[in-house]
Structures are given as C-alpha cells and as structure tokens.
Amino acid sequence: MTTNNSGLLVITTTHDDEAKARTLAADAVRARLAACAQVYRIQSVYWWEGEVQDAAEWRIDFKTRAELADALTGFVNARHDYDTPEVVAVPVVTGSAAYLEWVRAETAER
C-alpha cells in the first residue's frame, strides 16, 4: 500500500438521470480530467426549497489528481442541470501503488 499524500482525490457529484450521469462520467474521462468514474444508483434525502426531499439519483465518483480539482469542478458545473450540483472532493490517503500510479498516468495527458 501507498500511504498519505497520494495527491489524488475522489470527486463526487450526483444526477437525477442515469443516461446524463453516464454521459458526464464518460465526457470527464474522455477529457482526461479523471482516470475513471463509477456511476451507481443511490437514494438521497436532503433539504431543498423549504422541505425534505427523497429522490433516486445517480452518484458519480471521479478518480483524479488533486491539481485537476478546479478544472473537473468547472467541467461538472458547466454541464449539470441542477441549480446547485453537489461537487465534493475527498483525499485518497492510501491505496494500491499500481492503481494510484495508473490514475496519475491516465490524467497526465491534457
């Protein structure tokens, strides 16, 4: 395992439509802003416009380098239909050395 300071992030957003989520994921990977993205169904409960909402959504987890966070955030915001899309980043603190190097390599050519 590689430890601390990998310089990588998992950046998450959600979408209300599976096809749009998959397109956003593929477009970000194609743009080399993420090495990969997982798209999966979730159920979200959240406060919005004065009341509790409960909705099916599609979560997208992008694997990327920390220095691409602003570019990927801008990319997601520019292509999203939500008024306030979730875009949060969590640092990768440890992982398989080979996998972490693969993420770096696949996002290096921009």
Side-chain angles (χ1 to χ4, degrees), residues 54-75:
D54 187 333
E57 291 188 296
W58 294 89
R59 179 174 167 162
I60 310 166
D61 288 336
F62 300 98
K63 309 313 186 340
T64 192
R65 292 182 289 124
E67 56 266 27
L68 295 176
D70 288 342
L72 182 54
T73 297
F75 187 91

Side-chain angles (χ1 to χ4, degrees), residues 15-82:
H15 218 300
D16 62 354
D17 180 86
E18 181 181 9
K20 289 179 182 179
R22 290 183 181 282
T23 297
L24 181 59
D27 288 350
V29 171
R30 196 171 290 111
R32 305 306 285 259
L33 292 171
C36 68
Q38 280 99 21
V39 179
Y40 50 99
R41 188 185 183 285
I42 60 170
Q43 192 67 27
S44 294
V45 178
Y46 52 96
W47 190 264
W48 185 251
E49 296 181 343
E51 59 186 292
V52 174
Q53 307 291 322
D54 187 333
E57 291 188 296
W58 294 89
R59 179 174 167 162
I60 310 166
D61 288 336
F62 300 98
K63 309 313 186 340
T64 192
R65 292 182 289 124
E67 56 266 27
L68 295 176
D70 288 342
L72 182 54
T73 297
F75 187 91
V76 168
N77 284 328
R79 288 161 177 78
H80 213 295
D81 342 6
Y82 285 10

